[in-house]
Amino acid sequence: MKNEEMTKEELLKIERNIGKILRAGVFVSSAVIIVGILMFVLTGHSGYATGVWPVRFDAILSGLVGFKALAWLMTGLFLLILTPVLRVVASIFSFAREGDKLYVAITTLVLVILLVAMIIGHGGA
């Protein structure tokens, strides 16, 4: 009985930590998006020529350093997309800690599918 209670307490702690990760991800991405919106409103332009968008990570990073509004907006959206991926990664670790090999395998497969979909989507295929 005591062992079962400990498992429930550990599971509750893991779920709380995952919830904190999700909240932090949404908060950080929202803050970055708000900065991008404010930069766009205050300057009146995206920081790039018409029809030009930074699509590579190095271009986005240099846009962040150069305080270009569109780069900040894209970074915020990227962070928002990564938040549930981070939740899947955290779930893999929590299932591994519990020793649940089946759920580790299933969640790892979900992570692989997410990463492949992101790579395909980035390539435009």
Side-chain angles (χ1 to χ4, degrees):
M1 185 85 145
K2 224 174 199 194
N3 202 8
E4 191 175 307
E5 281 182 31
M6 210 147 145
T7 305
K8 288 180 182 178
E9 288 176 17
E10 287 177 356
L11 187 60
L12 185 60
K13 183 179 176 184
I14 289 168
E15 288 299 321
R16 284 185 182 146
N17 288 338
I18 290 172
K20 288 177 185 176
I21 289 170
L22 291 172
R23 281 191 294 276
V26 170
F27 177 77
V28 169
S29 63
S30 298
V32 172
I33 290 171
I34 289 170
V35 168
I37 290 171
L38 287 174
M39 289 169 55
F40 186 77
V41 168
L42 293 175
T43 63
H45 57 84
S46 69
Y48 296 94
T50 303
V52 176
W53 299 279
V55 291
R56 293 179 32 166
F57 288 117
D58 58 340
I60 293 172
L61 185 60
S62 66
L64 285 173
V65 173
F67 288 96
K68 296 182 178 182
L70 186 59
W72 282 78
L73 287 167
M74 290 181 74
T75 301
L77 291 174
F78 181 70
L79 291 172
L80 188 61
I81 291 168
L82 278 184
T83 300
V85 175
L86 185 59
R87 193 250 190 265
V88 172
V89 171
S91 296
I92 291 171
F93 286 112
S94 65
F95 290 138
R97 251 181 84 196
E98 290 176 17
D100 195 338
K101 293 179 183 178
L102 176 63
Y103 279 109
V104 168
I106 292 170
T107 311
T108 302
L109 179 63
V110 169
L111 179 62
V112 168
I113 292 169
L114 283 171
L115 293 176
V116 168
M118 287 170 54
I119 291 168
I120 290 172
H122 181 67

